[in-house]
Amino acid sequence: TMQSSGHRFRDVEHHPLLADNDSYDSSSSSSSSEADMADRVWFIRDGCGMVCAIMTWLLVVYADFVVTFVMLLPSKDFWYSVINGVLFNCLAVLALSSHLRTMLTDPGAVPKGNATKEYMDNLQLKPGEVIYKCPKCCSIKPERAHHCSICKRCIRKMDHHCPWVNNCVGEKNQRFFVLFTMYIALISAHALVLCGFQFFSCVRGQWTECSDFSPPVTVILMIFLCLEGFLFLTFTAVMFGTQIHSICNDETEIERLKSEKPTWERRLRWEGMKSVFGGQPSLLWINPFAGFRIRRLLLRGKKGGPEFSV
């Protein structure tokens, strides 16, 4: 425990602490640290997470291959192939873009080692006021922040750590994670519908000119796609519903599992959605490219290349 003349530190793992207007972002000394963090490419060096993220991409690419080259291109119906091909590939691009933004976006990490005397002086705390710091990363924990043992950081409004996106889902990237689960669920459902039509067409045509591949290979590829689509649809649809429920209730998964009593003023359901997705309802809510700036990435490169934060 650290002490000073005007305030006291307490080491805790999970506990409510500073109000929003007293958080690290509001202090003058924090602006440079936050700016430095914004100039870094956020990436977690976790072996399991990186393997899961690569598997996610490979499975989406596999689904796109089967849909495009096994089902659509051999089809004699031109417009059926074009419409479904464009729709499926657009959804796949949106899903993978959402995955990238979830994985490479800082989820709301609290700067390490900010529990210093200089920072405490800038907080202008009242005499005897107690604040809390994380004993693992030596940072002052904002309200609703939790420490992630994989990211090795305290994360604001941490919902959970997802290995499939190799990152925590927190205050700053929850929107992209919700979009990722939504688009994966949509392409999974689309793939299952196309598989149903393809099986019906192949059986009716006695597997002649059904595909450019042999009937056994076609069946194996489509069966594996059906299994993948069913599992992904089930998992992501449940996760999407859970995330929307958490946002509407203004409660993270960790807070729900630990049955933490809210010390904050909960937002109304619609206010929670606007807080996560940003502003009034619009097409930007479902656009994973919103807020992305290529120019900023180029400027980062001129500063000496990207830094990887952990």
Side-chain angles (χ1 to χ4, degrees), residues 56-65 67 71 84-97 99 179-195 225-226 228-230 232-234 236-237:
T56 301
W57 275 67
L58 291 178
L59 289 171
V60 173
V61 170
Y62 169 80
D64 189 65
F65 169 79
V67 167
M71 301 183 192
N84 283 285
V86 170
L87 177 60
F88 189 89
N89 281 277
C90 286
L91 291 174
V93 169
L94 290 170
L96 294 179
S97 300
H99 182 274
L179 293 182
F180 167 66
T181 58
M182 182 183 74
Y183 286 125
I184 289 294
L186 288 175
I187 64 172
S188 298
H190 192 192
L192 289 174
V193 171
L194 290 177
C195 281
L225 178 60
C226 286
E228 175 192 343
F230 177 76
F232 266 8
L233 175 60
T234 303
T236 54

Side-chain angles (χ1 to χ4, degrees), residues 52-238:
C52 289
I54 292 173
M55 284 181 57
T56 301
W57 275 67
L58 291 178
L59 289 171
V60 173
V61 170
Y62 169 80
D64 189 65
F65 169 79
V66 175
V67 167
T68 302
F69 294 97
V70 178
M71 301 183 192
L72 299 182
L73 288 183
S75 175
K76 296 180 181 179
D77 191 332
F78 175 77
W79 288 112
Y80 172 83
S81 299
V82 170
I83 293 174
N84 283 285
V86 170
L87 177 60
F88 189 89
N89 281 277
C90 286
L91 291 174
V93 169
L94 290 170
L96 294 179
S97 300
S98 301
H99 182 274
L100 270 182
R101 296 214 66 182
T102 306
M103 181 171 60
L104 301 180
T105 298
D106 177 358
V110 179
K112 287 183 178 180
N114 67 346
T116 62
K117 185 177 183 302
E118 292 76 16
Y119 172 62
M120 297 301 301
D121 292 338
N122 287 322
L123 284 180
Q124 298 179 349
L125 299 172
K126 299 177 182 179
E129 184 175 352
V130 178
I131 61 174
Y132 300 96
K133 78 180 182 72
C134 176
K136 296 183 178 179
C137 59
C138 295
S139 62
I140 294 179
K141 295 178 64 175
E143 187 177 33
R144 306 182 70 183
H146 294 271
H147 185 86
C148 175
S149 58
I150 299 176
C151 296
K152 298 180 176 61
R153 301 287 285 274
C154 285
I155 307 296
R156 292 186 176 92
K157 289 184 66 176
M158 175 182 170
D159 188 84
H160 68 287
H161 184 95
C162 179
W164 294 104
V165 296
N166 189 32
N167 201 2
C168 275
V169 177
E171 184 178 66
K172 294 183 179 180
N173 68 345
Q174 187 176 25
R175 168 175 169 261
F176 302 123
F177 181 74
V178 172
L179 293 182
F180 167 66
T181 58
M182 182 183 74
Y183 286 125
I184 289 294
L186 288 175
I187 64 172
S188 298
H190 192 192
L192 289 174
V193 171
L194 290 177
C195 281
F197 278 113
Q198 188 72 9
F199 272 119
F200 178 78
S201 175
C202 289
V203 171
R204 187 178 59 179
Q206 298 182 349
W207 297 92
T208 58
E209 299 181 359
C210 173
S211 172
D212 293 337
F213 296 86
S214 64
V217 173
T218 300
V219 171
I220 292 174
L221 291 174
M222 291 176 62
I223 289 177
F224 188 78
L225 178 60
C226 286
L227 292 175
E228 175 192 343
F230 177 76
L231 292 175
F232 266 8
L233 175 60
T234 303
F235 174 76
T236 54
V238 170

